[in-house]
Amino acid sequence: MEPKYLEILIMAGQLILGLSILVGLHELGHLLAAKAFGMRVEQYFIGFPPKVWSIKRGETEYGVGAIPLGGFVKISGMIDESLDTAHTNTEPQPYEFRAKPAWQRLIVMLGGIIVNVIVGILIFVIIAYKNGNTYLAAKDAKYGIVAYDLAKSIGLQTGDKIVKVNGKTITDFNEIRSSDVFLGNNSSYTIERNGKLEDIFIPNNFVDKLADKKAAGQFIEPIEPFKVAELVPGQPATKAGLKAGDIITSVNGKPIRFYHEFTEIVKPLKDKPLTLGINRNGQPTTLTVKTTADGTIGFYPEFLLPLTKQEYTFGEALGVGSKKAFQVVYDNIKGFGKIFRGEVSASKALSGPIGIAQNLFGGVWLWDRFWTVTGVLSMALAFMNALPIPALDGGHATILSYEIISGRKPSDRFLEGAQKVGMVILLGLMAFAIFNDVFKAVF
């Protein structure tokens, strides 16, 4: 199987597994709450029809659908996405959703959101406790930054040292690229250039440029010395005799020390021979290598700046993980704010299943990344489902909250109409997201 097809299968596999876990737990939250209040649950499905498999246990049919991008629980006496309204012509039965007090129905509707929040927090807490936090300390990025075109467009230069973000001294280099910078307003960097401090201001719509496919990964990186870490089998570097541990000291006679210097020389030279100066175990040697059609030679670098490892106790991990989980929600809120203010276009900011698979999961199955992304998606699903849109849990919860506060229950006709409007909105958003994914992938 060709590598690109294998990558596609890995992306799809991670997306399907991650969503199946999250949707299954989300719907389980509804099911458990409904059963706790004596409501009859007719169906519990992961995936949408057509049905692939099911089994009946008691009053409930448990099954798997062929379309693995969602799921549902069908509760007797509830007007949901199935738009089944046959029960509205009969008297409410004690086991039906509509026969229960509004506060119980509200808890049932919030059950899926609550479970997604709990799952998201647990994932981030476990990852923090297991892995701690490995990062490049700002003080160890002693050579400054590599400023790519987007960074240059706001006034940054290669070699600048960023010492503050939004007026606050940074300890972790990644704070430079945090959501607080790109999703906030009136953000700024304080840089050290030629021994002097200077403020660089970031436009409020800058995240729109970062979201552009052509700019992916091309903003700021630390300037780093490097050595060869791993070779890609069958690629020019392997054929030329490059070895793990080699330090590349020159390209075509031009001395280099840092990785960005190497890529700046090599990337434009596509299908061209190169002469590499090598330091191998303290001994100088030279190799001739021909680049590929995309301007690479086939090795992974090991960066040589020291990394800081921070371990957490379980109590510390509980705080750190919870903060990271809720940061996803805050970032979604700020992101929607950017869209509504016209500072970022919806076509760049919104992704469907294809975009999620490509941009988040990637073409290599790494379990730490898989669970991190699944944690992000769990919190994002909780947030999206909490939106007061008819047909979403948040829409049902809004109507039930009105009923509790006013003491008046909306008519079945109103609920049916709201559900139809919500389904049109959701299907439209889904169609837009999928079309947007395809358009970005092609163009």
Side-chain angles (χ1 to χ4, degrees):
M1 182 179 292
E2 290 187 25
K4 65 178 181 179
Y5 295 119
L6 180 60
E7 286 186 7
I8 291 171
L9 284 177
I10 291 173
M11 289 179 194
Q14 291 181 93
L15 178 66
I16 291 170
L17 177 60
L19 285 182
S20 295
I21 291 170
L22 295 179
V23 169
L25 292 171
H26 177 95
E27 300 301 338
L28 184 64
H30 292 309
L31 179 143
L32 293 177
K35 285 182 176 287
F37 292 125
M39 300 178 195
R40 178 179 294 174
V41 180
E42 299 173 16
Q43 291 181 306
Y44 167 88
F45 268 71
I46 300 175
F48 293 126
K51 179 170 65 177
V52 173
W53 170 87
S54 72
I55 187 171
K56 189 79 176 283
R57 287 288 183 268
E59 63 191 19
T60 307
E61 180 187 13
Y62 301 87
V64 176
I67 303 175
L69 297 178
F72 63 92
V73 166
K74 183 168 177 54
I75 303 172
S76 296
M78 177 182 172
I79 298 176
D80 56 18
E81 61 269 17
S82 69
L83 296 178
D84 180 6
T85 58
H87 62 273
T88 59
N89 297 319
T90 61
E91 286 296 316
Q93 299 300 311
Y95 57 79
E96 288 186 329
F97 179 86
R98 59 182 175 149
K100 301 297 181 179
W103 68 269
Q104 292 184 4
R105 285 179 276 139
L106 179 62
I107 292 174
V108 170
M109 295 316 306
L110 294 177
I113 295 172
I114 293 169
V115 167
N116 276 141
V117 170
I118 292 171
V119 169
I121 291 172
L122 280 176
I123 288 174
F124 280 109
V125 168
I126 292 170
I127 289 174
Y129 182 66
K130 172 178 173 287
N131 296 341
N133 181 28
T134 301
Y135 64 96
L136 175 64
K139 64 181 178 60
D140 291 325
K142 56 186 178 182
Y143 302 109
I145 63 166
V146 181
Y148 295 106
D149 287 343
L150 272 181
K152 292 175 182 176
S153 73
I154 62 172
L156 292 169
Q157 297 177 11
T158 295
D160 288 344
K161 295 179 181 178
I162 299 178
V163 295
K164 293 182 181 180
V165 172
N166 294 335
K168 179 183 176 183
T169 301
I170 62 173
T171 56
D172 182 343
F173 185 85
N174 281 325
E175 293 177 61
I176 293 169
R177 299 172 292 205
S178 72
S179 59
D180 288 338
V181 175
F182 301 131
L183 295 178
N185 291 315
N186 305 315
S187 297
S188 67
Y189 294 132
T190 301
I191 65 165
E192 182 185 329
R193 179 185 296 166
N194 300 323
K196 297 180 180 179
L197 296 181
E198 180 181 340
D199 288 329
I200 300 291
F201 294 94
I202 303 167
N204 289 338
N205 65 347
F206 190 67
V207 69
D208 194 52
K209 298 178 181 178
L210 280 176
D212 194 293
K213 178 181 176 182
K214 296 178 182 177
Q218 296 294 302
F219 179 50
I220 289 175
E221 297 291 345
I223 294 176
E224 298 208 59
F226 74 104
K227 65 180 179 179
V228 176
E230 184 180 348
L231 296 158
V232 180
Q235 290 294 299
T238 303
K239 296 175 182 177
L242 196 67
K243 295 183 178 180
D246 285 350
I247 297 175
I248 300 174
T249 58
S250 66
V251 180
N252 291 341
K254 183 176 182 179
I256 66 163
R257 184 182 177 191
F258 304 112
Y259 187 66
H260 76 280
E261 295 174 328
F262 173 80
T263 57
E264 284 174 1
I265 296 172
V266 173
K267 195 166 183 64
L269 303 177
K270 303 180 181 186
D271 284 322
K272 298 286 180 65
L274 301 174
T275 300
L276 302 181
I278 304 294
N279 180 336
R280 179 174 294 168
N281 299 322
Q283 298 297 318
T285 186
T286 59
L287 296 174
T288 300
V289 184
K290 185 179 180 181
T291 62
T292 63
D294 57 358
T296 62
I297 62 174
F299 75 91
Y300 296 103
E302 176 184 340
F303 298 114
L304 303 179
L305 290 178
L307 297 178
T308 299
K309 178 69 180 287
Q310 183 178 10
E311 302 283 356
Y312 298 119
T313 65
F314 185 76
E316 290 170 335
L318 193 61
V320 170
S322 298
K323 182 178 179 181
K324 286 186 177 180
F326 283 106
Q327 187 65 47
V328 176
V329 177
Y330 302 147
D331 289 349
N332 272 278
I333 293 172
K334 288 188 286 188
F336 272 99
K338 290 277 186 185
I339 293 173
F340 293 141
R341 290 194 299 271
E343 295 172 358
V344 61
S345 62
S347 62
K348 291 180 181 178
L350 300 179
S351 289
I354 298 173
I356 292 171
Q358 286 181 320
N359 301 325
L360 296 182
F361 284 112
V364 178
W365 198 304
L366 302 172
W367 280 109
D368 278 346
R369 181 171 66 184
F370 170 82
W371 285 114
T372 299
V373 173
T374 301
V376 169
L377 290 178
S378 190
M379 297 303 295
L381 282 173
F383 170 74
M384 295 300 293
N385 269 289
L387 294 176
I389 298 175
L392 287 179
D393 296 342
H396 289 287
T398 300
I399 293 172
L400 285 165
S401 297
Y402 165 80
E403 181 181 341
I404 292 171
I405 294 169
S406 68
R408 296 194 299 272
K409 184 177 181 180
S411 68
D412 289 335
R413 184 173 180 180
F414 171 83
L415 295 176
E416 182 183 353
Q419 193 72 20
K420 288 178 179 178
V421 170
M423 290 299 294
V424 170
I425 294 172
L426 291 181
L427 289 173
L429 287 172
M430 186 178 296
F432 171 80
I434 293 174
F435 173 80
N436 193 40
D437 282 351
V438 173
F439 183 84
K440 286 190 288 188
V442 173
F443 299 101

